[in-house]
PDB file of all heavy atoms in Angstrom:
ATOM      1  N   GLU A 198      98.350 117.931  90.641  1.00 68.00           N
ATOM      2  CA  GLU A 198      99.489 117.031  90.672  1.00 68.00           C
ATOM      3  C   GLU A 198      99.017 115.590  90.508  1.00 68.00           C
ATOM      4  O   GLU A 198      97.976 115.194  91.031  1.00 68.00           O
ATOM      5  CB  GLU A 198     100.251 117.172  91.988  1.00 68.00           C
ATOM      6  CG  GLU A 198     101.074 118.439  92.103  1.00 68.00           C
ATOM      7  CD  GLU A 198     101.890 118.445  93.369  1.00 68.00           C
ATOM      8  OE1 GLU A 198     101.279 118.308  94.447  1.00 68.00           O
ATOM      9  OE2 GLU A 198     103.110 118.580  93.303  1.00 68.00           O
ATOM     10  N   SER A 199      99.829 114.795  89.833  1.00 77.00           N
ATOM     11  CA  SER A 199      99.534 113.373  89.747  1.00 77.00           C
ATOM     12  C   SER A 199      99.827 112.719  91.086  1.00 77.00           C
ATOM     13  O   SER A 199     100.511 113.285  91.955  1.00 77.00           O
ATOM     14  CB  SER A 199     100.362 112.726  88.644  1.00 77.00           C
ATOM     15  OG  SER A 199     101.747 112.805  88.953  1.00 77.00           O
ATOM     16  N   TYR A 200      99.341 111.496  91.242  1.00 75.00           N
ATOM     17  CA  TYR A 200      99.542 110.797  92.516  1.00 75.00           C
ATOM     18  C   TYR A 200     101.017 110.502  92.753  1.00 75.00           C
ATOM     19  O   TYR A 200     101.521 110.638  93.867  1.00 75.00           O
ATOM     20  CB  TYR A 200      98.730 109.496  92.509  1.00 75.00           C
ATOM     21  CG  TYR A 200      98.880 108.678  93.764  1.00 75.00           C
ATOM     22  CD1 TYR A 200      98.297 109.091  94.957  1.00 75.00           C
ATOM     23  CD2 TYR A 200      99.616 107.497  93.764  1.00 75.00           C
ATOM     24  CE1 TYR A 200      98.440 108.351  96.114  1.00 75.00           C
ATOM     25  CE2 TYR A 200      99.764 106.752  94.909  1.00 75.00           C
ATOM     26  CZ  TYR A 200      99.173 107.174  96.086  1.00 75.00           C
ATOM     27  OH  TYR A 200      99.318 106.438  97.228  1.00 75.00           O
ATOM     28  N   ILE A 201     101.725 110.120  91.691  1.00 81.00           N
ATOM     29  CA  ILE A 201     103.156 109.822  91.843  1.00 81.00           C
ATOM     30  C   ILE A 201     103.930 111.073  92.228  1.00 81.00           C
ATOM     31  O   ILE A 201     104.817 111.030  93.092  1.00 81.00           O
ATOM     32  CB  ILE A 201     103.699 109.209  90.539  1.00 81.00           C
ATOM     33  CG1 ILE A 201     103.007 107.870  90.238  1.00 81.00           C
ATOM     34  CG2 ILE A 201     105.206 109.034  90.619  1.00 81.00           C
ATOM     35  CD1 ILE A 201     103.462 107.226  88.953  1.00 81.00           C
ATOM     36  N   ALA A 202     103.602 112.217  91.602  1.00 86.00           N
ATOM     37  CA  ALA A 202     104.282 113.468  91.954  1.00 86.00           C
ATOM     38  C   ALA A 202     103.991 113.869  93.391  1.00 86.00           C
ATOM     39  O   ALA A 202     104.867 114.380  94.104  1.00 86.00           O
ATOM     40  CB  ALA A 202     103.866 114.575  90.989  1.00 86.00           C
ATOM     41  N   LEU A 203     102.759 113.645  93.835  1.00 85.00           N
ATOM     42  CA  LEU A 203     102.410 113.973  95.214  1.00 85.00           C
ATOM     43  C   LEU A 203     103.166 113.098  96.199  1.00 85.00           C
ATOM     44  O   LEU A 203     103.674 113.577  97.223  1.00 85.00           O
ATOM     45  CB  LEU A 203     100.897 113.806  95.407  1.00 85.00           C
ATOM     46  CG  LEU A 203     100.334 114.178  96.784  1.00 85.00           C
ATOM     47  CD1 LEU A 203     100.586 115.656  97.070  1.00 85.00           C
ATOM     48  CD2 LEU A 203      98.851 113.867  96.856  1.00 85.00           C
ATOM     49  N   VAL A 204     103.276 111.792  95.898  1.00 84.00           N
ATOM     50  CA  VAL A 204     104.031 110.889  96.776  1.00 84.00           C
ATOM     51  C   VAL A 204     105.502 111.266  96.798  1.00 84.00           C
ATOM     52  O   VAL A 204     106.150 111.265  97.855  1.00 84.00           O
ATOM     53  CB  VAL A 204     103.840 109.432  96.312  1.00 84.00           C
ATOM     54  CG1 VAL A 204     104.785 108.496  97.055  1.00 84.00           C
ATOM     55  CG2 VAL A 204     102.401 108.985  96.533  1.00 84.00           C
ATOM     56  N   TRP A 205     106.057 111.622  95.642  1.00 87.00           N
ATOM     57  CA  TRP A 205     107.472 112.009  95.579  1.00 87.00           C
ATOM     58  C   TRP A 205     107.733 113.295  96.379  1.00 87.00           C
ATOM     59  O   TRP A 205     108.748 113.402  97.059  1.00 87.00           O
ATOM     60  CB  TRP A 205     107.883 112.185  94.127  1.00 87.00           C
ATOM     61  CG  TRP A 205     109.242 112.777  93.930  1.00 87.00           C
ATOM     62  CD1 TRP A 205     109.556 113.980  93.386  1.00 87.00           C
ATOM     63  CD2 TRP A 205     110.500 112.184  94.297  1.00 87.00           C
ATOM     64  NE1 TRP A 205     110.901 114.184  93.382  1.00 87.00           N
ATOM     65  CE2 TRP A 205     111.516 113.101  93.929  1.00 87.00           C
ATOM     66  CE3 TRP A 205     110.860 110.980  94.896  1.00 87.00           C
ATOM     67  CZ2 TRP A 205     112.855 112.841  94.136  1.00 87.00           C
ATOM     68  CZ3 TRP A 205     112.213 110.718  95.108  1.00 87.00           C
ATOM     69  CH2 TRP A 205     113.184 111.636  94.733  1.00 87.00           C
ATOM     70  N   ARG A 206     106.813 114.244  96.306  1.00 89.00           N
ATOM     71  CA  ARG A 206     106.980 115.484  97.075  1.00 89.00           C
ATOM     72  C   ARG A 206     106.940 115.214  98.573  1.00 89.00           C
ATOM     73  O   ARG A 206     107.688 115.814  99.346  1.00 89.00           O
ATOM     74  CB  ARG A 206     105.899 116.490  96.675  1.00 89.00           C
ATOM     75  CG  ARG A 206     106.012 117.846  97.343  1.00 89.00           C
ATOM     76  CD  ARG A 206     105.212 118.886  96.587  1.00 89.00           C
ATOM     77  NE  ARG A 206     103.800 118.536  96.533  1.00 89.00           N
ATOM     78  CZ  ARG A 206     102.917 118.846  97.475  1.00 89.00           C
ATOM     79  NH1 ARG A 206     103.316 119.503  98.550  1.00 89.00           N
ATOM     80  NH2 ARG A 206     101.651 118.524  97.346  1.00 89.00           N
ATOM     81  N   ARG A 207     106.077 114.309  99.002  1.00 88.00           N
ATOM     82  CA  ARG A 207     106.028 113.966 100.416  1.00 88.00           C
ATOM     83  C   ARG A 207     107.257 113.173 100.839  1.00 88.00           C
ATOM     84  O   ARG A 207     107.761 113.350 101.953  1.00 88.00           O
ATOM     85  CB  ARG A 207     104.769 113.140 100.704  1.00 88.00           C
ATOM     86  CG  ARG A 207     103.460 113.924 100.588  1.00 88.00           C
ATOM     87  CD  ARG A 207     102.289 112.987 100.649  1.00 88.00           C
ATOM     88  NE  ARG A 207     101.009 113.691 100.563  1.00 88.00           N
ATOM     89  CZ  ARG A 207      99.847 113.097 100.364  1.00 88.00           C
ATOM     90  NH1 ARG A 207      99.810 111.763 100.217  1.00 88.00           N
ATOM     91  NH2 ARG A 207      98.734 113.787 100.296  1.00 88.00           N
ATOM     92  N   LEU A 208     107.737 112.289  99.943  1.00 88.00           N
ATOM     93  CA  LEU A 208     108.918 111.495 100.293  1.00 88.00           C
ATOM     94  C   LEU A 208     110.143 112.368 100.457  1.00 88.00           C
ATOM     95  O   LEU A 208     110.996 112.103 101.334  1.00 88.00           O
ATOM     96  CB  LEU A 208     109.155 110.434  99.221  1.00 88.00           C
ATOM     97  CG  LEU A 208     110.371 109.515  99.410  1.00 88.00           C
ATOM     98  CD1 LEU A 208     110.214 108.698 100.695  1.00 88.00           C
ATOM     99  CD2 LEU A 208     110.549 108.594  98.214  1.00 88.00           C
ATOM    100  N   LYS A 209     110.274 113.421  99.655  1.00 90.00           N
ATOM    101  CA  LYS A 209     111.444 114.297  99.759  1.00 90.00           C
ATOM    102  C   LYS A 209     111.497 115.036 101.082  1.00 90.00           C
ATOM    103  O   LYS A 209     112.570 115.521 101.476  1.00 90.00           O
ATOM    104  CB  LYS A 209     111.444 115.300  98.599  1.00 90.00           C
ATOM    105  CG  LYS A 209     111.742 114.677  97.255  1.00 90.00           C
ATOM    106  CD  LYS A 209     112.022 115.722  96.196  1.00 90.00           C
ATOM    107  CE  LYS A 209     110.808 116.582  95.938  1.00 90.00           C
ATOM    108  NZ  LYS A 209     111.044 117.540  94.819  1.00 90.00           N
ATOM    109  N   ARG A 210     110.382 115.154 101.781  1.00 90.00           N
ATOM    110  CA  ARG A 210     110.389 115.824 103.085  1.00 90.00           C
ATOM    111  C   ARG A 210     110.991 114.947 104.179  1.00 90.00           C
ATOM    112  O   ARG A 210     111.362 115.449 105.243  1.00 90.00           O
ATOM    113  CB  ARG A 210     108.960 116.204 103.468  1.00 90.00           C
ATOM    114  CG  ARG A 210     108.302 117.210 102.526  1.00 90.00           C
ATOM    115  CD  ARG A 210     106.849 117.423 102.911  1.00 90.00           C
ATOM    116  NE  ARG A 210     106.165 118.344 102.005  1.00 90.00           N
ATOM    117  CZ  ARG A 210     104.870 118.606 102.061  1.00 90.00           C
ATOM    118  NH1 ARG A 210     104.115 118.023 102.999  1.00 90.00           N
ATOM    119  NH2 ARG A 210     104.329 119.431 101.197  1.00 90.00           N
ATOM    120  N   SER A 211     111.058 113.636 103.958  1.00 88.00           N
ATOM    121  CA  SER A 211     111.589 112.694 104.955  1.00 88.00           C
ATOM    122  C   SER A 211     113.065 112.454 104.664  1.00 88.00           C
ATOM    123  O   SER A 211     113.412 111.862 103.636  1.00 88.00           O
ATOM    124  CB  SER A 211     110.802 111.378 104.912  1.00 88.00           C
ATOM    125  OG  SER A 211     111.396 110.402 105.741  1.00 88.00           O
ATOM    126  N   TRP A 212     113.937 112.896 105.564  1.00 91.00           N
ATOM    127  CA  TRP A 212     115.361 112.699 105.321  1.00 91.00           C
ATOM    128  C   TRP A 212     115.758 111.236 105.474  1.00 91.00           C
ATOM    129  O   TRP A 212     116.670 110.763 104.788  1.00 91.00           O
ATOM    130  CB  TRP A 212     116.184 113.573 106.275  1.00 91.00           C
ATOM    131  CG  TRP A 212     116.141 113.150 107.710  1.00 91.00           C
ATOM    132  CD1 TRP A 212     115.274 113.556 108.667  1.00 91.00           C
ATOM    133  CD2 TRP A 212     117.028 112.229 108.348  1.00 91.00           C
ATOM    134  NE1 TRP A 212     115.547 112.951 109.863  1.00 91.00           N
ATOM    135  CE2 TRP A 212     116.626 112.133 109.705  1.00 91.00           C
ATOM    136  CE3 TRP A 212     118.113 111.474 107.915  1.00 91.00           C
ATOM    137  CZ2 TRP A 212     117.281 111.312 110.611  1.00 91.00           C
ATOM    138  CZ3 TRP A 212     118.767 110.646 108.814  1.00 91.00           C
ATOM    139  CH2 TRP A 212     118.348 110.574 110.152  1.00 91.00           C
ATOM    140  N   THR A 213     115.058 110.509 106.341  1.00 91.00           N
ATOM    141  CA  THR A 213     115.364 109.076 106.459  1.00 91.00           C
ATOM    142  C   THR A 213     114.929 108.330 105.204  1.00 91.00           C
ATOM    143  O   THR A 213     115.633 107.416 104.739  1.00 91.00           O
ATOM    144  CB  THR A 213     114.664 108.485 107.688  1.00 91.00           C
ATOM    145  OG1 THR A 213     113.242 108.761 107.625  1.00 91.00           O
ATOM    146  CG2 THR A 213     115.222 109.091 108.962  1.00 91.00           C
ATOM    147  N   GLY A 214     113.767 108.689 104.666  1.00 90.00           N
ATOM    148  CA  GLY A 214     113.329 108.041 103.441  1.00 90.00           C
ATOM    149  C   GLY A 214     114.259 108.325 102.274  1.00 90.00           C
ATOM    150  O   GLY A 214     114.574 107.422 101.485  1.00 90.00           O
TER     151      GLY A 214
END
Side-chain angles (χ1 to χ4, degrees):
E198 286 185 304
S199 64
Y200 179 72
I201 297 178
L203 183 62
V204 171
W205 171 246
R206 183 162 60 86
R207 291 170 179 168
L208 179 62
K209 290 192 296 185
R210 297 175 182 174
S211 173
W212 70 269
T213 55

